[in-house]
Amino acid sequence: MIKLDNVYKSFGSNHVLRGVDLEIPRGESMVVIGGSGTGKSVTLKSVLGLVTPDSGTITLDGEDVTKAERDAFLARFGMLFQGGALFDSLTIWENVAFRLLRGSLKRPKAEAREIAIEKLRRVGLKPEVADQFPSELSGGMQKRVGLARAIAAEPEIIFFDEPTTGLDPIMSGVINELIREIVVEMGATAMTITHDMTSVRAIADKVAMLHEGVIQWTGPVSEMDTCGDPYVEQFIHGRAEGPIEAVR
Amino acid sequence: MNPAALLAALGRPALALLAAIGRLTLFVTDTLSHLFRPPFYLRELRDALISVGYFSLPVVGLTAFFTGGALALQIYSGGARFNAEAVVPQIVAIGMVRELGPVLAGLMIAARVTSSIAAEIATMKVTEQIDALVTLSTNPMKYLTLPRVLAATIAGPILVGIADIIGIFGGYTVATGRLGFNTAAYLQNTVDFIQFTDITSSLVKGAVFGFIAAMMGCYYGMNSGRGAQGVGRATKLSVVAAAVMILAANYMLTGLFFTS
Ligand SMILES: Nc1ncnc2c1ncn2[C@@H]1O[C@H](COP(=O)(O)OP(=O)(O)O)[C@@H](O)[C@H]1O
Ligand SMILES: [Mg+2]
């Protein structure tokens, strides 16, 4: 279980997280929604230790993440970055198999390549792309390669930062289904950031709404439509009028 | 201005400078701490050696050749004022090996290597590739910084050695082609005049300058600000810092080797 307790983070005078409390039980799919720039990515990065909170604690199975042994800790995670974050100097398959080519999970090259091609297939990419470079692919394809890389080592916890942004509706559907599958089949714990309400309904067990540095509302996806929270209502219906200011 | 404000005005930049030195020192120590701790990324080292060393050869060679030639012309015309035209081979040799070879190669490495390392790493930072490396259990200092710094430290002396030789050859070409020097005597004078310390100092400078050049590229790249502007700024600062530090280090090393 991942637990964030009263987490604060500022960048200079920009107070991004102002007391975030959030719990993600093992094997559940949590979706975090909220406007752009509200600190959703910063929240994910805090859990991974890419961003150090100013105060508050984050624990994984009761252990403080800042005190965990880094390699063993990170080996449990997979992360899809918002922009894909593929390594330009490596081919697609080397990107996907990055973890399998070095370090503690290292295995023979041919085997790593086979796994990479299999993961590419799962995200709807043909084996032909394996030997291309990231710059030769479209943004949406890069995103899917990023997804393949995140799941390549079959991690127990997976973070998806806007997995369907920039994809066409059909490909979004494929990715949503894939994320659902990963959670159900692999029993993985997932935390997904998205603005896409179709995606929320397809993949969430639970939903949390981040606004003004705190979790405004959290609950099962089935209660999202009837929760009566004005922030959530405005967000899921995409209204310009409401408590969330359109100018931020 | 009251005394307190004056003190503050002096103190603030001084503190900022100390803080920068502290950060840089930590960065260097962190990099070197990976030297003997596995895993070792040999493929990255090889790639860095090729891009730092091999692809710097043309620019270093050309610079050295023209400078050696110009040096021969200058010494000849300057020496003529007191009937000392004959010292061309000796002065070209000592000038190239002790100072110009290392400094020119160092500055060319700063222009070519520092800028490209800084831009590459800064872009990786801005596009979250550095974060991605960390989540894939790969230490960016070990995977990106160390191979580049090692490669430049190894390639530095080699490039300087080549710059020395080509520079002397430039002087030789001009002196024997235009100034009427005897070819065999020119070479003999050159070889006789150069001492072992000249060569050692040259190569040591090459290693230090290569180290500085790559370190600055990595440091500014890793600390890049956000967006395209951040990348541009990191690149510019890295080249300026590397060039200044190379020249300062050159002065100190010359002092170390040649004043007793
Ligand atoms: N490394 C950083 N340095 C400075 N500011 C940052 C950094 N990372 C994020 N921010 C700022 O924090 C805020 C939240 O960013 P982010 O978490 O990326 O938003 P989002 O909810 O859209 O994912 C933004 O205002 C962003 O500018
Ligand atoms: Mg984001």
Side-chain angles (χ1 to χ4, degrees):
Chain A
M1 184 174 82
I2 303 166
K3 191 164 185 288
L4 288 87
D5 195 8
N6 209 18
V7 172
Y8 281 77
K9 178 70 192 178
S10 302
F11 295 100
S13 60
N14 181 6
H15 305 293
V16 180
L17 305 182
R18 292 174 245 171
V20 170
D21 292 308
L22 191 62
E23 271 181 35
I24 305 142
R26 184 183 280 264
E28 281 205 0
S29 171
M30 166 69 83
V31 172
V32 180
I33 56 175
S36 317
T38 48
K40 303 180 301 295
S41 298
V42 171
T43 307
L44 279 196
K45 288 184 184 177
S46 306
V47 177
L48 289 168
L50 298 172
V51 164
T52 317
D54 299 329
S55 66
T57 50
I58 302 174
T59 56
L60 172 63
D61 299 335
E63 192 191 2
D64 192 328
V65 296
T66 56
K67 301 202 173 71
E69 209 276 302
R70 285 300 278 168
D71 277 355
F73 173 79
L74 287 168
R76 300 173 65 181
F77 284 89
M79 162 109 187
L80 166 64
F81 286 86
Q82 198 166 338
L86 302 180
F87 305 124
D88 317 297
S89 56
L90 302 179
T91 61
I92 296 301
W93 84 265
E94 288 170 325
N95 262 282
V96 174
F98 193 89
R99 233 186 224 290
L100 310 174
L101 290 170
R102 42 184 73 71
S104 56
L105 297 172
K106 185 168 174 157
R107 59 195 74 198
K109 211 168 167 175
E111 195 186 324
R113 188 185 157 94
E114 227 165 81
I115 296 174
I117 288 175
E118 158 62 18
K119 299 294 172 188
L120 285 170
R121 196 192 52 73
R122 285 197 70 175
V123 298
L125 289 169
K126 298 203 184 83
E128 285 90 276
V129 301
D131 292 305
Q132 292 185 305
F133 284 91
S135 57
E136 299 172 68
L137 304 189
S138 73
M141 287 163 95
Q142 292 185 14
K143 196 80 171 240
R144 284 184 278 154
V145 176
L147 184 56
R149 183 174 70 184
I151 61 174
E154 318 215 325
E156 357 162 358
I157 306 155
I158 315 186
F159 290 171
F160 304 99
D161 197 345
E162 303 197 8
T164 58
T165 306
L167 301 186
D168 63 67
I170 297 172
M171 205 35 79
S172 299
V174 171
I175 298 301
N176 288 337
E177 219 163 87
L178 178 70
I179 292 177
R180 193 67 237 174
E181 230 174 84
I182 290 165
V183 174
V184 175
E185 267 176 32
M186 294 169 35
T189 309
M191 189 163 160
T192 309
I193 291 174
T194 188
H195 301 130
D196 173 357
M197 293 316 294
T198 320
S199 201
V200 176
R201 291 175 209 285
I203 62 186
D205 292 321
K206 282 211 183 118
V207 179
M209 164 126 190
L210 184 64
H211 182 65
E212 296 198 321
V214 295
I215 300 293
Q216 287 285 344
W217 178 83
T218 180
V221 64
S222 54
E223 291 172 16
M224 179 175 71
D225 292 296
T226 52
C227 70
D229 184 285
Y231 292 92
V232 176
E233 297 254 295
Q234 186 190 350
F235 193 87
I236 62 180
H237 296 113
R239 294 195 193 107
E241 307 291 312
I244 306 175
E245 305 217 358
V247 181
R248 271 170 272 146
Chain B
M1 198 187 267
N2 71 44
L6 184 67
L7 271 183
L10 288 173
R12 218 169 286 123
L15 281 179
L17 180 67
L18 286 179
I21 293 173
R23 273 197 303 275
L24 185 57
T25 312
L26 283 179
F27 190 85
V28 173
T29 341
D30 187 8
T31 305
L32 296 181
S33 75
H34 292 287
L35 206 46
F36 300 108
R37 274 191 289 154
F40 305 112
Y41 297 115
L42 296 177
R43 181 179 148 178
E44 275 62 38
L45 178 62
R46 186 202 62 195
D47 291 352
L49 270 173
I50 293 173
S51 87
V52 174
Y54 187 69
F55 289 116
S56 295
L57 279 175
V59 61
V60 167
L62 280 174
T63 328
F65 184 82
F66 288 121
T67 308
L71 194 57
L73 287 179
Q74 286 285 14
I75 295 162
Y76 188 78
S77 74
R81 292 184 198 162
F82 40 94
N83 296 323
E85 301 94 323
V87 295
V88 170
Q90 287 89 339
I91 306 284
V92 166
I94 207 169
M96 274 325 290
V97 173
R98 283 189 178 189
E99 291 296 326
L100 287 170
V103 168
L104 288 174
L107 292 180
M108 284 301 138
I109 295 175
R112 236 199 112 258
V113 175
T114 310
S115 59
S116 86
I117 291 178
E120 183 187 10
I121 295 186
T123 306
M124 291 186 74
K125 167 120 194 235
V126 168
T127 56
E128 299 183 309
Q129 292 179 52
I130 306 279
D131 283 346
L133 272 181
V134 174
T135 62
L136 294 166
S137 308
T138 302
N139 188 315
M141 297 297 279
K142 197 190 271 300
Y143 182 77
L144 295 173
T145 303
L146 184 64
R148 284 165 176 74
V149 170
L150 267 184
T153 312
I154 295 167
I158 300 173
L159 288 170
V160 166
I162 290 169
D164 292 349
I165 293 168
I166 294 183
I168 289 174
F169 177 69
Y172 166 87
T173 311
V174 170
T176 57
R178 269 182 73 176
L179 307 175
F181 278 78
N182 174 285
T183 51
Y186 190 102
L187 288 181
Q188 192 60 46
N189 280 333
T190 302
V191 173
D192 287 348
F193 197 71
I194 293 178
Q195 289 174 344
F196 189 65
T197 353
D198 298 334
I199 297 170
T200 338
S201 79
S202 201
L203 300 184
V204 169
K205 282 179 176 182
V208 172
F209 298 169
F211 179 84
I212 292 174
M215 212 39 131
M216 288 295 113
C218 294
Y219 177 75
Y220 282 97
M222 288 285 184
N223 290 298
S224 161
R226 308 203 304 153
Q229 213 172 15
V231 177
R233 199 177 132 77
T235 309
K236 175 188 72 187
L237 288 177
S238 73
V239 176
V240 173
V244 171
M245 285 179 72
I246 284 172
L247 293 174
N250 180 58
Y251 175 74
M252 286 189 265
L253 287 170
T254 297
L256 213 64
F257 274 99
F258 298 108
T259 52
S260 45

